[in-house]
Amino acid sequence: IDVTFPELACAVISLDAMDISGEQHLDVVGTPRLILCFLWLCHGKQIVSNVFKRRLDANGDPKDVGVKAKHGHEEIELHNETQEDLCLSCYGAEENPGDCCNTCDQVRDAYRRKGWAFTNADGISQCKAEGYMQQIRDQDGEGCNVYGILE
């Protein structure tokens, strides 16, 4: 895979894949800084994804993203609970009763599994706390190159 989106920010791109058995694998993109590799077992066959996103400037040249910074000043009130004790809302996108979405990515994944559009990140407390909309604003005018191998 080597696809360039000259006017679409990496923050809004995800890559979903479907294996030969019809099973869906959501957001199979890693990050080139961490060199992640995802493995799924599908009816005895492994699907290996080594796919990454590279931010591009307005001229289409790769951008050095450096260390991911946390944006915003809002925090999720923890009420003296540990992260493991939290069970934040999936905003109706739970697959099973009691499913938790403790991060913005988990909420986005839950929406994706339901086939729902993710349109109001400002109304999702996890996304507000993580500065998701600020990340998108920070990438305004950028492009994205999605590259790697999906087997």
Side-chain angles (χ1 to χ4, degrees):
I1 296 172
D2 189 1
V3 181
T4 298
F5 301 93
E7 296 184 20
L8 189 59
C10 287
V12 297
I13 293 176
S14 68
L15 176 66
D16 299 342
M18 184 179 293
D19 64 32
I20 196 165
S21 69
E23 186 170 347
Q24 291 185 347
H25 306 281
L26 304 177
D27 203 12
V28 295
V29 178
T31 168
R33 289 283 188 222
L34 300 177
I35 311 298
L36 299 176
C37 184
F38 301 95
L39 299 174
W40 290 280
L41 289 173
C42 302
H43 303 286
K45 180 174 171 67
Q46 286 187 336
I47 290 182
V48 179
S49 171
N50 200 5
V51 180
F52 308 101
K53 294 189 275 191
R54 179 184 299 125
R55 289 173 61 185
L56 306 174
D57 65 18
N59 297 320
D61 297 321
K63 250 185 121 151
D64 183 8
V65 266
V67 178
K68 183 178 177 182
K70 184 175 179 180
H71 297 285
H73 301 288
E74 295 186 27
E75 298 287 334
I76 297 174
E77 183 94 26
L78 297 181
H79 301 294
N80 297 323
E81 297 172 331
T82 64
Q83 186 67 24
E84 294 81 30
D85 294 333
L86 286 178
C87 185
L88 301 177
S89 174
C90 294
Y91 297 86
E94 304 79 6
E95 286 187 295
N96 301 302
D99 283 353
C100 303
C101 294
N102 293 333
T103 67
C104 185
D105 282 341
Q106 289 172 344
V107 175
R108 291 177 63 215
D109 288 344
Y111 270 58
R112 193 175 300 117
R113 282 191 299 273
K114 287 280 192 183
W116 296 355
F118 189 77
T119 58
N120 186 18
D122 282 335
I124 308 289
S125 62
Q126 296 89 319
C127 297
K128 285 176 73 172
E130 294 172 23
Y132 176 77
M133 291 305 296
Q134 185 62 45
Q135 291 173 29
I136 291 174
R137 284 189 285 276
D138 289 348
Q139 293 184 23
D140 186 36
E142 292 184 6
C144 189
N145 174 237
V146 179
Y147 67 97
I149 298 171
L150 183 63
E151 299 181 72

